[in-house]
Amino acid sequence: MDGYVSSTITKEIPLRNGFMKAISDVLPLALGVFTYGLAFGALANNANHFTWLETVSMSLFVFAGAGQFTILSLLQQDATLWTIAISTFLINARYIIYGLSLGRDLAPMHRGHLIWLSYGITDESYSVGTMQARQGKLGLGYMAGAGLVVLLAWVLSAALGYQLGGFIADPARFGLDFAFTAAFLGLLIAMLKHRSHFLAAGLAVIASVAAYQWFGTSGAVFAGAAAAFAVGVYSK
């Protein structure tokens, strides 16, 4: 009995410590998420396409900032359902790359855990996850904590932003539509450490700008992600 209790405790302590460390690591980024979540909620209110409940539901079930901003933009352009679906998929395809990148650093865990952990992969949780991976294998507690904090920040801010949007006639006039871009630039600058990082960022910019001319925003995002991924693979 004593052996069972001690083995249980040794498994729970790392899980809890990892969870708390993830909260500490991702909290500064979650504040940025909260900022552009407010912007998304305000824009959703002014787009005249979403109710408060629909805005919160999309933030909970889609849980993809770039994808949700794209949906708002395409709806304002009266795009077809297939255009919206394909564009959103292409923009969110970067999460597949994120998952492949983090997968090699994950500690052994039940396959069922991987399914719901994949729900919590965001730009922010991926960022802190890659940094944590330099210190050792990523545990269940760490990835769960990082994903949960970002999720709460995003959903709560979208809900609050929608209410605030009722008092703002034109959110874009105050630069709220740029909040998401600014947050991404902050993440990028913080992760530029080596020459290969600068090379990946530079090629991603070139690929994105070129792809945008023919394939629009969704194609630009995917092309930039593919270019950066290629640099990462061949610079090893």
Side-chain angles (χ1 to χ4, degrees):
M1 181 65 178
D2 291 340
Y4 174 79
V5 173
S6 62
S7 64
T8 302
I9 291 176
T10 56
K11 290 180 181 179
E12 289 179 351
I13 290 177
L15 182 69
R16 182 168 59 251
N17 288 349
F19 187 88
M20 297 306 297
K21 186 176 190 308
I23 292 177
S24 175
D25 290 347
V26 84
L27 189 58
L29 299 179
L31 295 177
V33 171
F34 193 88
T35 300
Y36 58 79
L38 291 174
F40 169 75
L43 292 170
N45 186 318
N46 284 267
N48 296 321
H49 287 288
F50 293 97
T51 65
W52 180 86
L53 181 59
E54 289 169 341
T55 300
V56 173
S57 297
M58 183 165 70
S59 299
L60 181 62
F61 293 108
V62 177
F63 187 32
Q68 291 178 225
F69 274 99
T70 299
I71 291 172
L72 286 182
S73 176
L74 292 175
L75 283 175
Q76 290 179 323
Q77 299 173 41
D78 295 321
T80 64
L81 177 61
W82 282 110
T83 300
I84 295 174
I86 294 174
S87 297
T88 304
F89 172 79
L90 289 175
I91 287 178
N92 291 338
R94 71 187 188 279
Y95 295 125
I96 299 175
I97 299 175
Y98 289 174
L100 292 172
S101 175
L102 290 175
R104 61 188 179 185
D105 297 315
L106 288 176
M109 63 183 67
H110 192 277
R111 185 171 298 179
H113 292 156
L114 296 176
I115 296 176
W116 60 266
L117 279 183
S118 64
Y119 169 76
I121 294 180
T122 63
D123 301 290
E124 294 76 21
S125 63
Y126 173 73
S127 176
V128 297
T130 54
M131 294 180 182
Q132 176 64 20
R134 298 171 185 171
Q135 304 176 22
K137 289 294 185 180
L138 294 172
L140 174 63
Y142 190 90
M143 293 308 301
L148 180 60
V149 171
V150 176
L151 173 64
L152 291 176
W154 178 249
V155 175
L156 292 175
S157 61
L160 179 60
Y162 188 94
Q163 299 295 337
L164 295 176
F167 302 98
I168 303 175
D170 184 12
R173 179 182 176 186
F174 299 94
L176 293 181
D177 55 334
F178 185 72
F180 188 77
T181 303
F184 264 87
L185 289 175
L187 283 173
L188 172 64
I189 293 172
M191 296 186 70
L192 294 177
K193 302 294 184 181
H194 307 290
R195 182 180 301 176
S196 60
H197 297 169
F198 286 94
L199 177 61
L203 288 180
V205 170
I206 295 172
S208 298
V209 172
Y212 181 79
Q213 307 300 320
W214 292 281
F215 305 106
T217 302
S218 56
V221 172
F222 187 77
F229 180 73
V231 173
V233 170
Y234 290 107
S235 63
K236 293 296 185 181

